[in-house]
Amino acid sequence: MKKLFILTALLCAPALYAAQQYACCTYEETPKYGLKTNTTRVEFYGGVALPEKEWSENGQTLQIGDTGFSAGIAFVRNVLPWLTVGLDGNYAGFSKGDDLSTAAGTVNYRSGVATGLVTGRVYLFPHAMTRLYGTAGLGAGYMYAKEKDAASGDTNKTYDSTDMAWMLGAGLEFDLDETVVFGAEGRYNWVGLRSEMKDRFGHDNYQYWTVMLKLGVKF
């Protein structure tokens, strides 16, 4: 019986060794998906910008921007797997608004908004390959509106303003591999208006939506 036990052990040893090596390699090669504390990402955004409302002036509809594009970059730090803080820079460029008849002639506007925000996110399923999150940001925003002659396209005057800005949004992202993240994010954006912008258009804020795709890299 003792000899049979020794013989069986000798025969099984190579198989056990191979199984152990396979298990180790498989464990080491398993992708490390999900979010971890004290990790950083840089993210690049691109998508569409949608103005929320139109204004009126002397009984006419005044639209200082129509559907345009949005692009941005963000640096994000995980302070916890489910919580991030970061910095976000975004630009929304709107296409030409409707023509408006004035005493000086017919004009239209081309406008844009640039924001710099401190942001935060709260994640659902932070350790999963696919994650949902809510996001918010607060900072400063710069908006301009170029008044152009509708016939010639010449710029009559540029109005601008710098004031507080904030955003609320939600997103979906998933890991393409251990370092690359792909996703989509929608935001509601608000920027305050003052000085020339407020005096010209009679409003103290401007609101718009952005819907963007993003590509991020983990460090």
Side-chain angles (χ1 to χ4, degrees):
M1 180 64 71
K2 184 177 180 180
K3 292 181 179 180
L4 180 61
F5 178 78
I6 294 172
L7 180 60
T8 302
L10 290 174
L11 291 174
C12 291
L16 291 172
Y17 177 78
Q20 183 182 17
Q21 291 297 105
Y22 175 78
C24 292
C25 292
T26 302
Y27 176 78
E28 292 175 356
E29 293 171 2
T30 301
K32 298 176 178 62
Y33 295 122
L35 303 177
K36 298 179 181 179
T37 302
N38 296 327
T39 56
T40 303
R41 279 177 290 164
V42 58
E43 298 175 339
F44 302 92
Y45 292 88
V48 297
L50 308 163
E52 185 194 35
K53 65 180 182 180
E54 298 175 339
W55 297 334
S56 62
E57 181 177 286
N58 298 324
Q60 298 184 78
T61 297
L62 172 60
Q63 186 183 40
I64 63 171
D66 205 347
T67 302
F69 72 94
S70 179
I73 184 171
F75 295 91
V76 181
R77 179 78 172 175
N78 276 89
V79 295
L80 294 169
W82 56 270
L83 177 65
T84 74
V85 294
L87 298 174
D88 182 280
N90 185 269
Y91 175 77
F94 303 106
S95 58
K96 178 180 74 69
D98 296 334
D99 291 345
L100 176 70
S101 296
T102 68
T106 303
V107 300
N108 53 54
Y109 293 89
R110 291 170 175 80
S111 57
V113 181
T115 58
L117 308 175
V118 177
T119 62
R121 293 180 190 165
V122 175
Y123 278 88
L124 296 176
F125 321 115
H127 299 294
M129 184 177 177
T130 301
R131 302 173 291 274
L132 293 168
Y133 63 86
T135 183
L138 178 66
Y142 168 79
M143 183 172 186
Y144 71 89
K146 292 182 178 180
E147 183 182 80
K148 290 182 176 289
D149 183 276
S152 66
D154 295 336
T155 300
N156 298 333
K157 184 173 176 57
T158 298
Y159 304 91
D160 61 7
S161 168
T162 301
D163 203 355
M164 184 180 75
W166 55 265
M167 69 84 174
L168 291 173
L172 170 69
E173 67 180 30
F174 60 92
D175 296 322
L176 295 180
D177 58 25
E178 295 182 25
T179 59
V180 180
V181 179
F182 182 77
E185 184 175 304
R187 299 179 180 180
Y188 174 79
N189 305 272
W190 184 100
V191 59
L193 301 180
R194 57 189 305 176
S195 60
E196 291 182 329
M197 289 287 288
K198 183 178 179 179
D199 294 341
R200 173 64 183 88
F201 301 110
H203 290 263
D204 60 6
N205 67 82
Y206 192 73
Q207 302 150 46
Y208 60 99
W209 294 86
T210 50
V211 180
M212 301 175 289
L213 297 178
K214 71 173 183 179
L215 186 67
V217 179
K218 301 178 187 177
F219 295 96

